[in-house]
Amino acid sequence: MSGAPVGVLEQLNKASSAEDFFALLGVDYDPKHVNVVRLHILRRMGQYLVSEDFTGQPDAVVAERCKAVLEQAYADFLASSPLDQRVFKVLKDAVAPPKPPVFVPLTTLK
């Protein structure tokens, strides 16, 4: 081991539960609520973080930004349900307009 301090992104990458994310970033949460929407919160956090560029940023700045993003993702699911937010494809597809049926004329079949 190099003995260098482990950055917040590396710690988050090794986290194994939503509760780990909340604890690492120091975000208060209701365990009953997180038990129901944990994957949705983490997915939304990931959606928000995609637009971030942490290159060359000090770890304290990265940690504060990650904390703010987790707080926002958590707030999204306090204010509305997973069905309202639809962060997963299966939920998006549930409300997508039906695709028109594919028509294959009999004359094209051999």
Side-chain angles (χ1 to χ4, degrees):
M1 290 197 120
S2 65
V6 178
V8 69
L9 291 178
E10 189 175 335
Q11 291 176 35
L12 291 173
N13 201 25
K14 292 179 180 179
S16 62
S17 70
E19 291 82 358
D20 289 347
F21 277 73
F22 283 92
L24 285 167
L25 296 172
V27 175
D28 292 332
Y29 66 97
D30 176 356
K32 290 179 188 174
H33 189 69
V34 170
N35 273 339
V36 176
V37 293
R38 70 180 58 246
L39 296 177
H40 301 273
I41 292 169
L42 294 179
R43 174 68 176 230
R44 176 58 53 86
M45 181 185 180
Q47 289 173 337
Y48 289 151
L49 285 175
V50 160
S51 63
E52 298 286 334
D53 182 11
F54 295 126
T55 307
Q57 296 292 323
D59 202 52
V61 171
V62 173
E64 276 305 308
R65 188 65 196 128
C66 287
K67 179 180 180 178
V69 166
L70 179 57
E71 288 171 337
Q72 180 60 51
Y74 180 62
D76 288 350
F77 291 97
L78 285 176
S80 62
S81 73
L83 288 175
D84 294 332
Q85 293 292 323
R86 299 191 189 277
V87 295
F88 289 105
K89 184 180 183 319
V90 67
L91 296 176
K92 290 176 187 173
D93 289 350
V95 294
K99 295 179 182 175
V102 176
F103 178 74
V104 179
L106 288 174
T107 58
T108 62
L109 299 176
K110 292 185 179 187

